[in-house]
């Protein structure tokens, strides 16, 4: 059922149910972090490996102390600058933070989302919410309540509709190694914004095996349609001539008549707007019975870096 009523959500969460919630990044599947029953349901529904930790969502900064004893100075600075917002911090966990939430790791990923409804819900509850993206593991993330319906209709009791996700990309994840910040996942807060606050940051490139964050896996965020990324759209269209093609472009449509459908992410050439539209465009393209989705490579700066990161994983064979 879709609802806008956070009291209904709170009730379900108390009953150890899971509820889909809106955030400014993507929709999440939420559960009480202290309910093993509810958290296990998330993993089952998503078909997510149990070793992949979940992000813990809190409603205010003073709840951080319930989860960790150690906050590096730069973590404090990042919280003060970017919370509520699309930045997740991975910190040493307190013993009471359940292993089934952290995938057995001794760290916990924490964030305060910037979405009015979900903040109200979080501040109503006496427990934080574990909430990974509300999609089957590896597929395109949901940025509207209808995407969640498409994935999980009738398999979850409640979807809270909070409109279209404003940022539309997952949070940026930063961890600490000997108190020095390390970027684990590119996301909605750009590297430029982070470095502007705390100076140069090391960026960990993920591999499929030694995975720190699932979002770093080679294949992730993927449509079911074959997807290719290119710096030369017209050449790639030519290469796929005869197939039913869809295009994903930054700001300018191709004039090629062989193309069945085109999604323009930002007609005015704004990378933040393009980022916000990325997943909804991929959802539309993936539903069109195309034989191939051809995406333009984006400028490698600001949100363009994150878009390219997601497209690379979406297109991984
Ligand atoms: P999702 O909410 O589906 O985007 O996934 C949550 C992301 O947070 C995944 O990429 C997790 O691996 C990452 N994450 C959560 N907890 C930790 C942790 N303790 N260490 C590293 N990454 C984490
Ligand atoms: Mg996810």
């Amino acid at each position: 059922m879709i609802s806008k009523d956070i009291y209904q959500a709170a009730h379900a969460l108390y009953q150890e149910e899971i509820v889909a919630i809106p955030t400014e990044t993507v929709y999440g599947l939420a559960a009480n972090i202290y309910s093993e029953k509810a958290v296990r349901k998330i993993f089952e529904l998503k078909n997510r490996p149990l070793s992949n930790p979940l992000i813990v969502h809190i409603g205010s900064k003073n709840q951080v102390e319930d989860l960790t004893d150690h906050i590096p100075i730069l973590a404090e600075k990042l919280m003060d600058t970017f919370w509520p917002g699309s930045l997740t911090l991975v910190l040493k966990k307190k013993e009471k933070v359940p292993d089934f939430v952290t995938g057995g790791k001794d760290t916990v990923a924490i964030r305060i989302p910037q979405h009015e409804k979900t903040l109200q819900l979080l501040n109503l509850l006496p427990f934080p919410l574990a909430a990974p993206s509300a999609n089957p593991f590896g597929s395109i993330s949901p940025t509207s309540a209808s995407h969640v319906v498409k994935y999980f209709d009738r398999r979850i009791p409640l979807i809270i509709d909070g409109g279209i996700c404003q940022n539309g990309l997952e949070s940026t994840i930063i961890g600490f190694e000997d108190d020095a910040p390390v970027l684990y996942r590119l996301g909605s807060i750009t590297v430029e914004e982070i470095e502007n606050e705390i100076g140069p940051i090391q960026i960990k490139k993920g591999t499929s095996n030694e995975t720190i964050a699932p979002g770093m896996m080679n294949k992730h965020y993927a449509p079911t349609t074959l997807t290719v990324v290119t710096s030369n759209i017209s050449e790639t269209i030519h290469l796929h001539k005869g197939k039913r093609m869809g295009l994903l472009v930054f700001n300018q449509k191709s004039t090629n008549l062989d193309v069945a459908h085109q999604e323009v992410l930002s007609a005015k050439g704004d990378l933040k707007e393009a980022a916000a539209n990325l997943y909804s465009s991929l959802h539309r393209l993936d539903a069109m019975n195309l034989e191939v989705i051809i995406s333009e490579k984006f400028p490698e700066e600001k949100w363009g870096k994150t878009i390219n990161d997601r497209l690379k994983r979406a297109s991984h064979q």
Side-chain angles (χ1 to χ4, degrees), residues 211-267:
T211 318
I212 294 166
M216 294 167 74
M217 286 181 179
N218 288 341
K219 177 127 190 138
H220 213 79
Y221 313 108
T224 53
T225 314
L226 170 70
T227 303
V228 295
V229 185
T230 175
S231 316
N232 189 335
I233 284 271
S234 38
E235 189 181 280
T236 309
I237 292 173
H238 189 70
L239 222 74
H240 290 272
K241 199 169 163 65
K243 289 188 194 153
R244 212 175 122 73
M245 290 179 252
L247 288 195
L248 185 75
V249 295
F250 181 19
N251 53 0
Q252 203 166 13
K253 281 196 173 174
S254 160
T255 51
N256 192 306
L257 298 174
D258 295 327
V259 176
H261 180 77
Q262 304 199 40
E263 290 281 329
V264 180
L265 292 191
S266 171

Tab-separated table of all heavy atoms in Angstrom, residues 211-267:
chain	number	residue	atom	x	y	z
A	211	THR	N	35.351	-6.416	-1.932
A	211	THR	CA	34.434	-5.276	-1.951
A	211	THR	C	34.286	-4.613	-0.599
A	211	THR	O	33.990	-5.260	0.384
A	211	THR	CB	33.036	-5.735	-2.394
A	211	THR	OG1	33.206	-6.635	-3.466
A	211	THR	CG2	32.216	-4.565	-2.840
A	212	ILE	N	34.459	-3.318	-0.581
A	212	ILE	CA	34.220	-2.578	0.658
A	212	ILE	C	32.762	-2.160	0.710
A	212	ILE	O	32.093	-2.292	1.692
A	212	ILE	CB	35.142	-1.355	0.731
A	212	ILE	CG1	36.589	-1.831	0.843
A	212	ILE	CG2	34.788	-0.487	1.932
A	212	ILE	CD1	37.610	-0.769	0.605
A	213	ALA	N	32.259	-1.683	-0.388
A	213	ALA	CA	30.851	-1.305	-0.486
A	213	ALA	C	30.273	-1.928	-1.751
A	213	ALA	O	30.902	-1.877	-2.794
A	213	ALA	CB	30.732	0.214	-0.542
A	214	PRO	N	29.078	-2.541	-1.664
A	214	PRO	CA	28.486	-3.173	-2.842
A	214	PRO	C	28.363	-2.210	-4.015
A	214	PRO	O	28.469	-2.614	-5.157
A	214	PRO	CB	27.097	-3.600	-2.379
A	214	PRO	CG	27.141	-3.616	-0.908
A	214	PRO	CD	28.220	-2.688	-0.487
A	215	GLY	N	28.121	-0.942	-3.704
A	215	GLY	CA	28.039	0.051	-4.767
A	215	GLY	C	29.339	0.177	-5.524
A	215	GLY	O	29.438	0.887	-6.517
A	216	MET	N	30.394	-0.507	-5.037
A	216	MET	CA	31.677	-0.469	-5.735
A	216	MET	C	31.856	-1.691	-6.630
A	216	MET	O	32.892	-1.858	-7.253
A	216	MET	CB	32.817	-0.416	-4.719
A	216	MET	CG	32.820	0.870	-3.921
A	216	MET	SD	33.909	0.757	-2.507
A	216	MET	CE	35.504	0.844	-3.288
A	217	MET	N	30.876	-2.577	-6.642
A	217	MET	CA	31.003	-3.758	-7.504
A	217	MET	C	30.992	-3.349	-8.966
A	217	MET	O	30.334	-2.384	-9.341
A	217	MET	CB	29.849	-4.714	-7.251
A	217	MET	CG	30.007	-5.446	-5.947
A	217	MET	SD	28.667	-6.568	-5.689
A	217	MET	CE	29.192	-7.260	-4.131
A	218	ASN	N	31.699	-4.141	-9.769
A	218	ASN	CA	31.800	-3.787	-11.187
A	218	ASN	C	30.439	-3.701	-11.848
A	218	ASN	O	30.161	-2.792	-12.601
A	218	ASN	CB	32.673	-4.797	-11.918
A	218	ASN	CG	34.125	-4.623	-11.533
A	218	ASN	OD1	34.493	-3.560	-11.028
A	218	ASN	ND2	34.935	-5.646	-11.731
A	219	LYS	N	29.573	-4.714	-11.560
A	219	LYS	CA	28.230	-4.668	-12.141
A	219	LYS	C	27.236	-4.310	-11.058
A	219	LYS	O	27.115	-5.002	-10.058
A	219	LYS	CB	27.858	-6.010	-12.765
A	219	LYS	CG	26.432	-6.018	-13.303
A	219	LYS	CD	26.384	-6.461	-14.746
A	219	LYS	CE	24.991	-6.220	-15.320
A	219	LYS	NZ	25.047	-5.685	-16.662
A	220	HIS	N	26.525	-3.212	-11.216
A	220	HIS	CA	25.582	-2.730	-10.211
A	220	HIS	C	24.748	-1.652	-10.881
A	220	HIS	O	25.092	-1.182	-11.958
A	220	HIS	CB	26.366	-2.151	-9.024
A	220	HIS	CG	25.674	-2.353	-7.706
A	220	HIS	ND1	25.706	-3.542	-7.026
A	220	HIS	CD2	24.935	-1.523	-6.928
A	220	HIS	CE1	25.016	-3.417	-5.890
A	220	HIS	NE2	24.532	-2.191	-5.812
A	221	TYR	N	23.663	-1.241	-10.249
A	221	TYR	CA	22.826	-0.159	-10.777
A	221	TYR	C	22.419	-0.442	-12.226
A	221	TYR	O	22.356	0.465	-13.060
A	221	TYR	CB	23.569	1.190	-10.739
A	221	TYR	CG	24.246	1.486	-9.433
A	221	TYR	CD1	25.639	1.450	-9.306
A	221	TYR	CD2	23.497	1.803	-8.298
A	221	TYR	CE1	26.261	1.730	-8.096
A	221	TYR	CE2	24.113	2.075	-7.095
A	221	TYR	CZ	25.488	2.040	-7.004
A	221	TYR	OH	26.096	2.311	-5.817
A	222	ALA	N	22.147	-1.705	-12.558
A	222	ALA	CA	22.081	-2.093	-13.966
A	222	ALA	C	20.668	-2.310	-14.505
A	222	ALA	O	19.845	-2.975	-13.875
A	222	ALA	CB	22.886	-3.371	-14.168
A	223	PRO	N	20.378	-1.776	-15.698
A	223	PRO	CA	19.150	-2.124	-16.414
A	223	PRO	C	19.244	-3.583	-16.878
A	223	PRO	O	20.340	-4.149	-16.912
A	223	PRO	CB	19.165	-1.204	-17.633
A	223	PRO	CG	20.234	-0.202	-17.397
A	223	PRO	CD	21.206	-0.835	-16.449
A	224	THR	N	18.107	-4.173	-17.266
A	224	THR	CA	18.169	-5.522	-17.826
A	224	THR	C	18.545	-5.451	-19.309
A	224	THR	O	19.030	-6.422	-19.874
A	224	THR	CB	16.814	-6.260	-17.671
A	224	THR	OG1	15.802	-5.430	-18.232
A	224	THR	CG2	16.491	-6.509	-16.222
A	225	THR	N	18.326	-4.309	-19.931
A	225	THR	CA	18.706	-4.116	-21.339
A	225	THR	C	20.220	-3.903	-21.451
A	225	THR	O	20.801	-3.215	-20.602
A	225	THR	CB	18.000	-2.850	-21.896
A	225	THR	OG1	16.634	-2.869	-21.508
A	225	THR	CG2	18.128	-2.758	-23.402
A	226	LEU	N	20.806	-4.495	-22.473
A	226	LEU	CA	22.222	-4.270	-22.749
A	226	LEU	C	22.487	-2.760	-22.781
A	226	LEU	O	21.780	-2.012	-23.465
A	226	LEU	CB	22.571	-4.880	-24.118
A	226	LEU	CG	23.962	-4.521	-24.674
A	226	LEU	CD1	25.063	-5.193	-23.881
A	226	LEU	CD2	24.061	-4.889	-26.146
A	227	THR	N	23.482	-2.306	-22.024
A	227	THR	CA	23.774	-0.875	-21.951
A	227	THR	C	25.228	-0.622	-22.320
A	227	THR	O	26.115	-1.338	-21.852
A	227	THR	CB	23.492	-0.360	-20.516
A	227	THR	OG1	22.136	-0.657	-20.179
A	227	THR	CG2	23.708	1.146	-20.407
A	228	VAL	N	25.459	0.348	-23.199
A	228	VAL	CA	26.833	0.689	-23.540
A	228	VAL	C	27.064	2.186	-23.330
A	228	VAL	O	26.152	2.991	-23.489
A	228	VAL	CB	27.208	0.311	-25.004
A	228	VAL	CG1	27.179	-1.175	-25.218
A	228	VAL	CG2	26.290	0.993	-25.993
A	229	VAL	N	28.278	2.531	-22.923
A	229	VAL	CA	28.630	3.926	-22.696
A	229	VAL	C	29.693	4.311	-23.714
A	229	VAL	O	30.609	3.533	-23.979
A	229	VAL	CB	29.195	4.140	-21.275
A	229	VAL	CG1	29.447	5.620	-21.013
A	229	VAL	CG2	28.249	3.578	-20.238
A	230	THR	N	29.545	5.500	-24.283
A	230	THR	CA	30.462	5.886	-25.348
A	230	THR	C	30.789	7.377	-25.332
A	230	THR	O	29.975	8.190	-24.898
A	230	THR	CB	29.857	5.535	-26.730
A	230	THR	OG1	30.729	6.024	-27.755
A	230	THR	CG2	28.494	6.189	-26.924
A	231	SER	N	31.977	7.719	-25.801
A	231	SER	CA	32.325	9.136	-25.984
A	231	SER	C	31.965	9.570	-27.395
A	231	SER	O	32.090	10.742	-27.742
A	231	SER	CB	33.826	9.364	-25.774
A	231	SER	OG	34.265	8.671	-24.659
A	232	ASN	N	31.596	8.595	-28.238
A	232	ASN	CA	31.253	8.937	-29.621
A	232	ASN	C	29.895	8.330	-29.997
A	232	ASN	O	29.809	7.212	-30.505
A	232	ASN	CB	32.356	8.436	-30.562
A	232	ASN	CG	32.150	8.947	-31.982
A	232	ASN	OD1	31.029	9.270	-32.387
A	232	ASN	ND2	33.232	9.016	-32.740
A	233	ILE	N	28.850	9.097	-29.717
A	233	ILE	CA	27.476	8.610	-29.891
A	233	ILE	C	27.199	8.154	-31.330
A	233	ILE	O	26.709	7.046	-31.555
A	233	ILE	CB	26.457	9.716	-29.491
A	233	ILE	CG1	26.370	9.825	-27.965
A	233	ILE	CG2	25.090	9.456	-30.092
A	233	ILE	CD1	25.346	8.935	-27.309
A	234	SER	N	27.549	9.002	-32.302
A	234	SER	CA	27.147	8.666	-33.684
A	234	SER	C	27.848	7.403	-34.177
A	234	SER	O	27.242	6.576	-34.865
A	234	SER	CB	27.363	9.846	-34.645
A	234	SER	OG	28.530	10.524	-34.332
A	235	GLU	N	29.107	7.241	-33.790
A	235	GLU	CA	29.829	6.033	-34.185
A	235	GLU	C	29.177	4.788	-33.551
A	235	GLU	O	29.008	3.753	-34.202
A	235	GLU	CB	31.289	6.158	-33.719
A	235	GLU	CG	32.215	5.092	-34.230
A	235	GLU	CD	33.617	5.306	-33.672
A	235	GLU	OE1	34.355	6.159	-34.215
A	235	GLU	OE2	33.965	4.630	-32.672
A	236	THR	N	28.785	4.909	-32.283
A	236	THR	CA	28.196	3.768	-31.581
A	236	THR	C	26.806	3.438	-32.136
A	236	THR	O	26.435	2.266	-32.249
A	236	THR	CB	28.139	4.038	-30.058
A	236	THR	OG1	29.430	4.455	-29.636
A	236	THR	CG2	27.729	2.791	-29.286
A	237	ILE	N	26.043	4.471	-32.500
A	237	ILE	CA	24.739	4.230	-33.137
A	237	ILE	C	24.959	3.443	-34.428
A	237	ILE	O	24.274	2.452	-34.697
A	237	ILE	CB	24.018	5.565	-33.456
A	237	ILE	CG1	23.614	6.277	-32.172
A	237	ILE	CG2	22.785	5.325	-34.337
A	237	ILE	CD1	23.050	7.672	-32.376
A	238	HIS	N	25.946	3.866	-35.196
A	238	HIS	CA	26.262	3.215	-36.464
A	238	HIS	C	26.590	1.732	-36.244
A	238	HIS	O	26.136	0.855	-36.980
A	238	HIS	CB	27.421	3.949	-37.134
A	238	HIS	CG	27.671	3.493	-38.533
A	238	HIS	ND1	26.795	3.764	-39.564
A	238	HIS	CD2	28.671	2.745	-39.065
A	238	HIS	CE1	27.257	3.218	-40.669
A	238	HIS	NE2	28.398	2.588	-40.398
A	239	LEU	N	27.352	1.485	-35.201
A	239	LEU	CA	27.772	0.123	-34.856
A	239	LEU	C	26.575	-0.785	-34.547
A	239	LEU	O	26.622	-1.990	-34.768
A	239	LEU	CB	28.645	0.209	-33.597
A	239	LEU	CG	29.897	-0.627	-33.514
A	239	LEU	CD1	30.973	-0.036	-34.414
A	239	LEU	CD2	30.404	-0.630	-32.073
A	240	HIS	N	25.513	-0.190	-34.007
A	240	HIS	CA	24.335	-0.976	-33.608
A	240	HIS	C	23.178	-0.845	-34.599
A	240	HIS	O	22.040	-1.194	-34.285
A	240	HIS	CB	23.884	-0.570	-32.205
A	240	HIS	CG	24.833	-0.999	-31.125
A	240	HIS	ND1	24.770	-2.216	-30.499
A	240	HIS	CD2	25.912	-0.376	-30.593
A	240	HIS	CE1	25.746	-2.325	-29.617
A	240	HIS	NE2	26.459	-1.216	-29.654
A	241	LYS	N	23.479	-0.341	-35.771
A	241	LYS	CA	22.449	-0.120	-36.795
A	241	LYS	C	21.613	-1.391	-37.002
A	241	LYS	O	22.129	-2.497	-37.019
A	241	LYS	CB	23.128	0.281	-38.123
A	241	LYS	CG	22.175	0.976	-39.088
A	241	LYS	CD	22.960	1.595	-40.258
A	241	LYS	CE	22.052	1.914	-41.420
A	241	LYS	NZ	21.055	2.963	-41.113
A	242	GLY	N	20.276	-1.198	-37.109
A	242	GLY	CA	19.399	-2.352	-37.289
A	242	GLY	C	18.767	-2.810	-35.986
A	242	GLY	O	17.771	-3.517	-35.977
A	243	LYS	N	19.349	-2.400	-34.859
A	243	LYS	CA	18.770	-2.776	-33.551
A	243	LYS	C	17.820	-1.681	-33.084
A	243	LYS	O	17.904	-0.540	-33.512
A	243	LYS	CB	19.887	-2.915	-32.504
A	243	LYS	CG	20.751	-4.123	-32.699
A	243	LYS	CD	21.699	-4.277	-31.520
A	243	LYS	CE	22.791	-5.274	-31.840
A	243	LYS	NZ	24.018	-4.997	-31.077
A	244	ARG	N	16.924	-2.063	-32.160
A	244	ARG	CA	16.053	-1.081	-31.542
A	244	ARG	C	16.847	-0.388	-30.419
A	244	ARG	O	17.145	-0.989	-29.392
A	244	ARG	CB	14.826	-1.806	-30.964
A	244	ARG	CG	13.568	-0.998	-30.985
A	244	ARG	CD	12.389	-1.835	-30.503
A	244	ARG	NE	11.746	-1.202	-29.353
A	244	ARG	CZ	10.998	-0.116	-29.435
A	244	ARG	NH1	10.781	0.469	-30.597
A	244	ARG	NH2	10.446	0.393	-28.345
A	245	MET	N	17.184	0.874	-30.699
A	245	MET	CA	18.115	1.574	-29.794
A	245	MET	C	17.443	2.672	-28.992
A	245	MET	O	16.573	3.378	-29.495
A	245	MET	CB	19.186	2.306	-30.620
A	245	MET	CG	20.169	1.443	-31.320
A	245	MET	SD	21.289	2.523	-32.249
A	245	MET	CE	20.734	2.183	-33.894
A	246	GLY	N	17.897	2.852	-27.747
A	246	GLY	CA	17.507	4.012	-26.940
A	246	GLY	C	18.755	4.783	-26.565
A	246	GLY	O	19.812	4.180	-26.350
A	247	LEU	N	18.629	6.099	-26.487
A	247	LEU	CA	19.788	6.919	-26.138
A	247	LEU	C	19.586	7.627	-24.804
A	247	LEU	O	18.486	8.069	-24.487
A	247	LEU	CB	20.018	8.022	-27.173
A	247	LEU	CG	20.552	7.715	-28.557
A	247	LEU	CD1	21.025	9.019	-29.193
A	247	LEU	CD2	21.670	6.701	-28.518
A	248	LEU	N	20.692	7.742	-24.077
A	248	LEU	CA	20.709	8.540	-22.861
A	248	LEU	C	21.774	9.610	-23.090
A	248	LEU	O	22.959	9.290	-23.225
A	248	LEU	CB	21.107	7.646	-21.683
A	248	LEU	CG	21.077	8.261	-20.296
A	248	LEU	CD1	19.645	8.405	-19.815
A	248	LEU	CD2	21.846	7.392	-19.320
A	249	VAL	N	21.332	10.867	-23.193
A	249	VAL	CA	22.302	11.937	-23.504
A	249	VAL	C	22.247	13.038	-22.450
A	249	VAL	O	21.266	13.174	-21.719
A	249	VAL	CB	22.052	12.538	-24.905
A	249	VAL	CG1	22.296	11.502	-25.995
A	249	VAL	CG2	20.649	13.114	-25.021
A	250	PHE	N	23.313	13.826	-22.397
A	250	PHE	CA	23.409	14.901	-21.412
A	250	PHE	C	22.423	16.028	-21.755
A	250	PHE	O	21.393	16.190	-21.104
A	250	PHE	CB	24.852	15.396	-21.367
A	250	PHE	CG	25.117	16.492	-20.364
A	250	PHE	CD1	24.259	16.740	-19.299
A	250	PHE	CD2	26.266	17.277	-20.485
A	250	PHE	CE1	24.526	17.751	-18.369
A	250	PHE	CE2	26.539	18.289	-19.561
A	250	PHE	CZ	25.668	18.524	-18.509
A	251	ASN	N	22.731	16.791	-22.817
A	251	ASN	CA	21.894	17.967	-23.075
A	251	ASN	C	21.416	18.109	-24.515
A	251	ASN	O	20.658	19.009	-24.831
A	251	ASN	CB	22.618	19.248	-22.665
A	251	ASN	CG	23.988	19.367	-23.300
A	251	ASN	OD1	24.405	18.492	-24.058
A	251	ASN	ND2	24.692	20.427	-22.997
A	252	GLN	N	21.879	17.209	-25.390
A	252	GLN	CA	21.521	17.399	-26.785
A	252	GLN	C	21.122	16.085	-27.455
A	252	GLN	O	21.856	15.096	-27.376
A	252	GLN	CB	22.712	17.991	-27.531
A	252	GLN	CG	22.276	18.714	-28.767
A	252	GLN	CD	23.406	19.582	-29.327
A	252	GLN	OE1	24.571	19.452	-28.925
A	252	GLN	NE2	23.072	20.450	-30.264
A	253	LYS	N	19.957	16.095	-28.096
A	253	LYS	CA	19.485	14.901	-28.791
A	253	LYS	C	20.317	14.618	-30.038
A	253	LYS	O	20.818	15.550	-30.667
A	253	LYS	CB	18.034	15.096	-29.220
A	253	LYS	CG	17.045	14.890	-28.100
A	253	LYS	CD	15.632	14.711	-28.630
A	253	LYS	CE	14.715	14.341	-27.486
A	253	LYS	NZ	13.314	14.271	-27.860
A	254	SER	N	20.395	13.353	-30.392
A	254	SER	CA	20.994	12.982	-31.670
A	254	SER	C	19.940	13.170	-32.762
A	254	SER	O	18.743	13.001	-32.523
A	254	SER	CB	21.431	11.519	-31.612
A	254	SER	OG	21.578	11.018	-32.919
A	255	THR	N	20.391	13.524	-33.963
A	255	THR	CA	19.443	13.698	-35.069
A	255	THR	C	19.294	12.401	-35.859
A	255	THR	O	18.559	12.351	-36.841
A	255	THR	CB	19.929	14.809	-36.030
A	255	THR	OG1	21.287	14.524	-36.377
A	255	THR	CG2	19.837	16.171	-35.375
A	256	ASN	N	19.969	11.348	-35.413
A	256	ASN	CA	19.929	10.080	-36.129
A	256	ASN	C	18.534	9.448	-36.062
A	256	ASN	O	17.980	9.251	-34.983
A	256	ASN	CB	20.966	9.126	-35.523
A	256	ASN	CG	21.180	7.917	-36.385
A	256	ASN	OD1	20.225	7.221	-36.734
A	256	ASN	ND2	22.425	7.664	-36.741
A	257	LEU	N	17.983	9.128	-37.225
A	257	LEU	CA	16.596	8.635	-37.286
A	257	LEU	C	16.473	7.154	-36.917
A	257	LEU	O	15.372	6.634	-36.765
A	257	LEU	CB	16.013	8.876	-38.679
A	257	LEU	CG	15.937	10.360	-39.074
A	257	LEU	CD1	15.480	10.504	-40.534
A	257	LEU	CD2	14.994	11.140	-38.162
A	258	ASP	N	17.611	6.457	-36.782
A	258	ASP	CA	17.570	5.044	-36.404
A	258	ASP	C	17.238	4.840	-34.924
A	258	ASP	O	16.998	3.717	-34.486
A	258	ASP	CB	18.933	4.377	-36.668
A	258	ASP	CG	19.254	4.364	-38.154
A	258	ASP	OD1	18.303	4.250	-38.950
A	258	ASP	OD2	20.446	4.488	-38.506
A	259	VAL	N	17.268	5.932	-34.168
A	259	VAL	CA	17.085	5.817	-32.720
A	259	VAL	C	15.599	5.800	-32.363
A	259	VAL	O	14.838	6.664	-32.788
A	259	VAL	CB	17.799	6.988	-32.010
A	259	VAL	CG1	17.543	6.929	-30.511
A	259	VAL	CG2	19.291	6.962	-32.299
A	260	ALA	N	15.175	4.786	-31.559
A	260	ALA	CA	13.751	4.642	-31.222
A	260	ALA	C	13.304	5.643	-30.161
A	260	ALA	O	12.195	6.147	-30.186
A	260	ALA	CB	13.478	3.219	-30.729
A	261	HIS	N	14.181	5.920	-29.181
A	261	HIS	CA	13.791	6.818	-28.095
A	261	HIS	C	15.028	7.481	-27.489
A	261	HIS	O	16.086	6.876	-27.424
A	261	HIS	CB	13.051	6.029	-27.010
A	261	HIS	CG	12.622	6.892	-25.852
A	261	HIS	ND1	11.541	7.738	-25.900
A	261	HIS	CD2	13.166	7.068	-24.608
A	261	HIS	CE1	11.420	8.385	-24.754
A	261	HIS	NE2	12.387	7.993	-23.949
A	262	GLN	N	14.860	8.733	-27.063
A	262	GLN	CA	15.997	9.428	-26.440
A	262	GLN	C	15.586	10.050	-25.114
A	262	GLN	O	14.508	10.607	-24.986
A	262	GLN	CB	16.500	10.553	-27.345
A	262	GLN	CG	16.886	10.081	-28.733
A	262	GLN	CD	17.782	11.076	-29.441
A	262	GLN	OE1	18.679	11.672	-28.844
A	262	GLN	NE2	17.554	11.259	-30.740
A	263	GLU	N	16.482	9.957	-24.144
A	263	GLU	CA	16.289	10.624	-22.854
A	263	GLU	C	17.387	11.682	-22.713
A	263	GLU	O	18.577	11.363	-22.744
A	263	GLU	CB	16.424	9.604	-21.715
A	263	GLU	CG	15.292	8.607	-21.627
A	263	GLU	CD	14.035	9.186	-20.961
A	263	GLU	OE1	14.156	10.067	-20.085
A	263	GLU	OE2	12.920	8.745	-21.323
A	264	VAL	N	16.949	12.940	-22.558
A	264	VAL	CA	17.896	14.040	-22.328
A	264	VAL	C	17.904	14.323	-20.822
A	264	VAL	O	16.871	14.612	-20.236
A	264	VAL	CB	17.452	15.307	-23.089
A	264	VAL	CG1	18.442	16.448	-22.846
A	264	VAL	CG2	17.326	15.014	-24.573
A	265	LEU	N	19.077	14.218	-20.188
A	265	LEU	CA	19.092	14.355	-18.718
A	265	LEU	C	19.030	15.802	-18.240
A	265	LEU	O	18.517	16.087	-17.164
A	265	LEU	CB	20.306	13.642	-18.122
A	265	LEU	CG	20.284	12.120	-18.246
A	265	LEU	CD1	21.376	11.487	-17.389
A	265	LEU	CD2	18.935	11.524	-17.857
A	266	SER	N	19.582	16.727	-19.031
A	266	SER	CA	19.433	18.140	-18.660
A	266	SER	C	19.607	19.014	-19.894
A	266	SER	O	20.728	19.253	-20.336
A	266	SER	CB	20.457	18.537	-17.588
A	266	SER	OG	20.423	19.935	-17.400
A	267	ALA	N	18.492	19.510	-20.405
A	267	ALA	CA	18.546	20.317	-21.632
A	267	ALA	C	19.421	21.549	-21.431
A	267	ALA	O	20.073	22.018	-22.355
A	267	ALA	CB	17.134	20.721	-22.039
